[in-house]
Amino acid sequence: MVTFCIWCRDPIWIPIPAEKAENMRSSLTLVGTLWAFLSLVTAVASSTSYFLPYWLFGSQLGKQVSFSTFRRCNYPVRGEGHSLIMVEECGRYASFSAIPSLAWQMCTVVTGAGCALLLLVALAAVLGCCMEELISRMMGRCMGAAQFVGGLLISSGCALYPLGWNSPEVMQTCGNVSNQFHLGTCRLGWAYYCAGGGAAAAMLICTWLSCFAGRNPKPVVLVESIMRNTNSYALELDHCLKP
């Protein structure tokens, strides 16, 4: 009788399209979608600012000079007759040890690690918008904790940056009156504020939104799916057994 019912079942009645449509849903809630977008924005903002040499602006030999932690725009070289001329181009320092101060070397490492962490979390968050059951509620919170650590690392790098303002290169650019936490004639650039703002947003906003980003944990989703399929098959069997 069971075999007969399997063969007598109407294949059109099986709700296969509904199952397929449900499997295409995102693993993130509506708040999680907002979290993924903000995570991508903060990660791109902080990482872009990290690579741009516009953290500090000053002037030397009548030319504008700008710094980041490991890059510089416009630098003096010896010309003919031992005179100094300004080369107007941007580039990174030749080696890690050539970075002007120990504080800037530490800032380069710490900020780079924070940016890498934020980018990894942002990539996973964006993938969660397209893949089901990729990010659970607990996974979202763990990713939020990683974002907090990444933002804390970038903030630490921004805090270390003023410790290098007493290096010879910075002092030559800032009127020879700069010191730690004192810029002299220089000023902070927009990239420094952008990196700090992205880190603050990642620590405060993204970390809070990550608590509500993921859907139910995977074991709960699996049990619900099994129960739903079991009820569906029970209804089909009851339909076939009826005279």
Side-chain angles (χ1 to χ4, degrees):
M1 178 62 69
V2 175
T3 305
F4 174 76
C5 287
I6 293 176
W7 284 102
C8 73
R9 185 172 55 190
D10 187 2
I12 302 177
W13 186 79
I14 300 176
I16 295 179
E19 290 292 330
K20 289 185 177 180
E22 186 177 356
N23 290 335
M24 295 299 293
R25 68 178 184 177
S26 168
S27 61
L28 298 177
T29 62
L30 183 61
V31 175
T33 303
L34 177 61
W35 166 70
F37 174 74
L38 290 178
S39 298
L40 182 62
V41 171
T42 55
V44 171
S46 298
S47 301
T48 303
S49 302
Y50 172 67
F51 285 100
L52 291 177
Y54 304 125
W55 285 39
L56 183 67
F57 287 102
S59 62
Q60 188 174 1
L61 300 179
K63 301 292 184 180
Q64 179 173 282
V65 178
S66 60
F67 296 91
S68 66
T69 58
F70 62 98
R71 299 190 68 195
R72 172 175 176 161
C73 285
N74 303 340
Y75 53 91
V77 296
R78 293 284 181 180
E80 297 180 357
H82 301 286
S83 61
L84 291 176
I85 60 174
M86 293 295 293
V87 177
E88 299 184 33
E89 63 180 16
C90 299
R92 63 179 180 83
Y93 290 100
S95 63
F96 183 77
S97 59
I99 296 177
S101 65
L102 177 62
W104 282 17
Q105 293 175 359
M106 296 172 58
C107 180
T108 300
V109 175
V110 170
T111 307
C115 290
L117 194 56
L118 290 186
L119 285 174
L120 287 176
V121 174
L123 177 61
V126 172
L127 290 177
C129 296
C130 310
M131 300 176 63
E132 185 182 12
E133 298 183 5
L134 177 65
I135 300 176
S136 63
R137 182 64 61 86
M138 182 59 66
M139 180 62 69
R141 293 175 179 176
C142 292
M143 293 171 67
Q147 282 182 312
F148 184 85
V149 174
L152 184 62
L153 289 174
I154 298 175
S155 300
S156 301
C158 293
L160 288 171
Y161 191 67
L163 295 176
W165 293 350
N166 61 348
S167 64
E169 286 194 28
V170 177
M171 292 184 67
Q172 292 171 5
T173 306
C174 300
N176 291 318
V177 293
S178 65
N179 204 341
Q180 292 182 350
F181 298 98
H182 178 67
L183 276 176
T185 59
C186 293
R187 59 184 176 87
L188 287 174
W190 59 268
Y192 178 83
Y193 294 110
C194 188
M203 290 176 60
L204 301 178
I205 302 177
C206 293
T207 301
W208 177 67
L209 291 178
S210 67
C211 298
F212 316 99
R215 296 186 182 274
N216 291 330
K218 293 183 179 180
V220 176
V221 175
L222 179 61
V223 170
E224 290 179 352
S225 178
I226 293 175
M227 294 178 62
R228 184 170 56 253
N229 293 334
T230 303
N231 293 333
S232 177
Y233 293 141
L235 289 175
E236 294 176 19
L237 182 60
D238 182 66
H239 177 74
C240 292
L241 292 176
K242 287 182 179 179

